[in-house]
Amino acid sequence: MAVMSPERSHPTSVPRRTSAIWRGRFPATADQVAVARRAVSTELFGYSELDDVVLIVSELATNAIRHSRSGQGGLFEVILRDLDSAVRIEVRDEGKDGLQPLQPLPGTDEALAESHRGLEIVQLLADRWGCIREESHTVVWCDVRSAVGRGVA
């Protein structure tokens, strides 16, 4: 298992997992990104950082469709977890062949393109994030702390 943690705070292990408060599986088609956003909005209605969470879900779901085997007729999954003072967002896809970088290398044409901003947005909005890659799937996760100091409950 390859674990990558381009986080603001760099833990030495994979972050703790708690029980999912919600999970949804979606066909990996562009129209399902909006469906995932609406489902998350409904589930987290009233959460102080809802707009950030919904934007992150949108970016990660889009990446799952565009950059993994999920986009070839597969599925992606969105999982939400309550971490007391934060919500953890996980988007799981069907992985990809090889270990290509998560973000374009600085100074490349790809880095300057408008279509490769998703993980930059995630990095700006999340308190920490990372990626777990295995042969059959990839999970990109991030934690978004509540401005009022409590999680989803």
Side-chain angles (χ1 to χ4, degrees):
M1 166 178 43
V3 178
M4 294 169 237
S5 295
E7 306 174 35
R8 290 185 191 157
S9 60
H10 299 278
T12 56
S13 62
V14 177
R16 71 183 171 96
R17 294 178 69 112
T18 61
S19 298
I21 57 169
W22 180 86
R23 69 176 55 221
R25 292 180 59 125
F26 304 90
T29 56
D31 63 311
Q32 293 299 299
V33 174
V35 174
R37 280 194 312 258
R38 282 193 300 274
V40 168
S41 292
T42 299
E43 184 61 34
L44 295 181
F45 181 77
Y47 182 63
S48 65
E49 308 304 317
L50 178 62
D51 291 343
D52 289 351
V53 170
V54 169
L55 181 54
I56 288 169
V57 166
S58 183
E59 294 298 334
L60 296 181
T62 299
N63 283 353
I65 294 166
R66 288 187 178 170
H67 304 294
S68 79
R69 289 186 294 259
S70 292
Q72 300 166 6
L75 300 169
F76 70 91
E77 183 175 31
V78 178
I79 303 164
L80 302 175
R81 300 180 191 278
D82 186 359
L83 302 181
D84 299 327
S85 64
V87 65
R88 169 156 304 145
I89 304 141
E90 298 176 13
V91 174
R92 179 184 174 129
D93 64 42
E94 295 175 6
K96 64 194 304 182
D97 297 322
L99 288 177
Q100 299 169 354
L102 284 175
Q103 294 178 310
L105 299 174
T108 64
D109 289 340
E110 191 177 10
L112 300 174
E114 286 185 31
S115 64
H116 290 285
R117 302 284 187 222
L119 289 178
E120 290 179 19
I121 291 170
V122 170
Q123 190 168 10
L124 288 171
L125 296 176
D127 293 289
R128 53 188 218 140
W129 71 282
C131 176
I132 302 167
R133 288 189 175 166
E134 296 184 351
E135 280 187 42
S136 64
H137 66 275
T138 300
V139 177
V140 179
W141 60 269
C142 63
D143 297 342
V144 177
R145 284 194 194 121
S146 170
V148 294
R150 60 181 172 78
V152 181

